[in-house]
Amino acid sequence: MAESDFSAELKEVQAQLDALTARKIELENALKSARLTQLKQSQNIQSKKITIVGGRGKLGQLFVRMFAQLGHQLSVLEPSDWPNAEAILAGQDLVIISVPINLTLSVIEQVTQFIEPHTILADLTSIKQKPVEKMLSCHTGPVLGLHPMFGPDVDNIQDQVVAYCQARDMAECQWVLDSLVLLEAKLEAVSAESHDKAMSFIQVMRHFSTFLYGFHLKQENPKLSELIALSSPIYRLELAMVGRLFAQDPQLYADIIYSNPENFDLLKRFSKRLQAGIELLEKGDKQLFIQEFEEVHHWFGEYADHFLAESKRLLKAAHLS
């Protein structure tokens, strides 16, 4: 069989695979829609009136679409709509604040001038203590803090984590959580204080470390195309995560990092440990490095092997896609 014949057959097989993949996605979406309809009917979900403040933003649009799938009545409130805010917010069962962090507290104050006592007030902010405190102080009715632990570029929230803070009148808020469960999100209850402490490590420290890595690369000015060409898949993925940060809105990351000055103390401790690590290298004592490495391994415990296996699956999936 000639090489051209192999190439032609390979193209034909690839075209068939592409068609089957497209059909698979189509069937998966149809199945999800059918299951959602069945769940709504079986649990007798009643349609609620929901307004999302910032509903035309990327995250706001996602939640508009998700709640609409459950048959709820959605409206949005954007800056140009404030003259009509009283009419838009009248009679709402749920109002969700989905605006940039630096605007959240002032928007809560504005919104609570118009919402009714029975209305559930919630937010999607990536910090929780200050927004929850502000909602509780400005609104006498049910209050729920939410933090979707994913970006707005997901197709749906199946298997995505949504952290929630029980603030006030949780019995009244239960249908909101039930709606997220119907959409197959994974809910994690957490206090606002614990949430923000965790985010210091999950978001603030990681974002700032990534920012510094990119800042350092810029100063050193290596040839990126060469770094990419010489990187194994795992290092290419790490470099991609750095580049990904700088492809997004700098205001978002500035707001997260600057949201709580107490985070600066954590970053200062990280800086001191980085310097201590450099001093360890300068001593030339490899055995001490290995000892420190093993102690960190011991601290991670079984999670180290879990993360190794998980990263292998991610790399395999990325290679196949």
Side-chain angles (χ1 to χ4, degrees):
M1 199 171 185
E3 182 179 342
S4 59
D5 294 330
F6 284 124
S7 296
E9 186 174 351
L10 183 61
K11 288 181 180 179
E12 183 180 345
V13 170
Q14 186 61 55
Q16 293 173 355
L17 287 172
D18 291 343
L20 286 171
T21 299
R23 180 56 178 162
K24 177 176 178 286
I25 293 172
E26 183 182 336
L27 289 171
E28 286 175 344
N29 290 336
L31 180 60
K32 287 177 184 176
S33 179
R35 284 175 176 170
L36 204 55
T37 299
Q38 186 177 13
L39 280 169
K40 284 191 295 183
Q41 292 173 347
S42 64
Q43 298 196 22
N44 192 27
I45 297 296
Q46 295 181 346
S47 177
K48 301 287 188 178
K49 293 181 179 180
I50 303 173
T51 293
I52 298 184
V53 183
R56 293 193 185 97
K58 290 182 179 179
L59 188 61
Q61 288 183 57
L62 173 64
F63 274 80
V64 166
R65 180 163 55 85
M66 294 294 102
F67 279 116
Q69 285 182 2
L70 296 175
H72 298 306
Q73 303 171 50
L74 272 296
S75 59
V76 300
L77 179 62
E78 291 291 324
S80 60
D81 300 318
W82 278 109
N84 302 315
E86 186 172 3
I88 293 172
L89 296 172
Q92 296 302 290
D93 297 299
L94 169 65
V95 172
I96 300 177
I97 310 297
S98 178
V99 299
I101 296 173
N102 61 317
L103 300 177
T104 298
L105 302 185
S106 61
V107 169
I108 289 171
E109 290 181 351
Q110 290 177 280
V111 164
T112 50
Q113 297 176 43
F114 304 111
I115 62 175
E116 298 169 16
H118 75 273
T119 301
I120 300 169
L121 181 60
D123 79 303
L124 302 180
T125 323
S126 60
I127 58 171
K128 289 272 66 79
Q129 201 161 1
K130 289 180 180 179
V132 168
E133 288 174 355
K134 177 62 74 171
M135 289 190 291
L136 287 171
S137 67
C138 293
H139 181 49
T140 59
V143 172
L144 178 64
L146 299 171
H147 181 194
M149 301 302 298
F150 49 88
D153 51 350
V154 299
D155 293 328
N156 56 69
I157 63 175
Q158 180 182 3
D159 295 329
Q160 300 286 351
V161 175
V162 178
Y164 71 96
C165 302
Q166 305 179 45
R168 183 192 291 138
D169 298 340
M170 285 307 297
E172 301 298 322
C173 300
Q174 190 58 47
W175 69 264
V176 182
L177 300 179
D178 291 342
S179 293
L180 296 174
V181 170
L182 278 176
L183 293 166
E184 300 184 70
K186 293 181 178 178
L187 300 185
E188 289 291 336
V190 63
S191 71
E193 182 180 4
S194 295
H195 170 277
D196 287 0
K197 285 182 179 179
M199 288 307 110
S200 295
F201 295 97
I202 296 171
Q203 289 189 322
V204 175
M205 187 174 167
R206 289 307 310 149
H207 293 332
F208 189 69
S209 299
T210 303
F211 164 77
L212 281 184
Y213 187 24
F215 182 76
H216 179 66
L217 284 175
K218 172 183 173 293
Q219 300 300 315
E220 295 291 318
N221 197 28
K223 194 173 182 179
L224 276 175
S225 59
E226 188 172 90
L227 295 184
I228 295 168
L230 294 174
S231 293
S232 65
I234 187 65
Y235 296 118
R236 202 157 56 242
L237 181 59
E238 289 181 351
L239 189 58
M241 294 306 293
V242 177
R244 182 180 188 274
L245 181 88
F246 291 96
Q248 298 181 75
D249 181 10
Q251 184 67 53
L252 170 64
Y253 293 102
D255 287 345
I256 291 172
I257 292 170
Y258 282 87
S259 63
N260 186 354
E262 292 179 8
N263 292 326
F264 301 168
D265 291 334
L266 173 65
L267 297 176
K268 288 176 183 177
R269 293 195 296 274
F270 178 67
S271 175
K272 288 179 180 178
R273 286 165 185 142
L274 178 61
Q275 183 58 41
I278 293 172
E279 292 172 2
L280 185 152
L281 296 180
E282 289 176 334
K283 290 178 181 178
D285 190 342
K286 289 185 181 179
Q287 194 56 45
L288 182 57
F289 175 88
I290 292 170
Q291 179 183 328
E292 296 285 3
F293 190 102
E294 289 296 343
E295 287 181 7
V296 177
H297 179 198
H298 178 73
W299 180 83
F300 268 98
E302 63 184 19
Y303 283 107
D305 291 332
H306 170 79
F307 290 146
L308 177 62
E310 186 175 30
S311 63
K312 286 181 177 179
R313 288 195 298 271
L314 290 172
L315 287 169
K316 184 177 181 180
H319 178 71
L320 294 174
S321 61

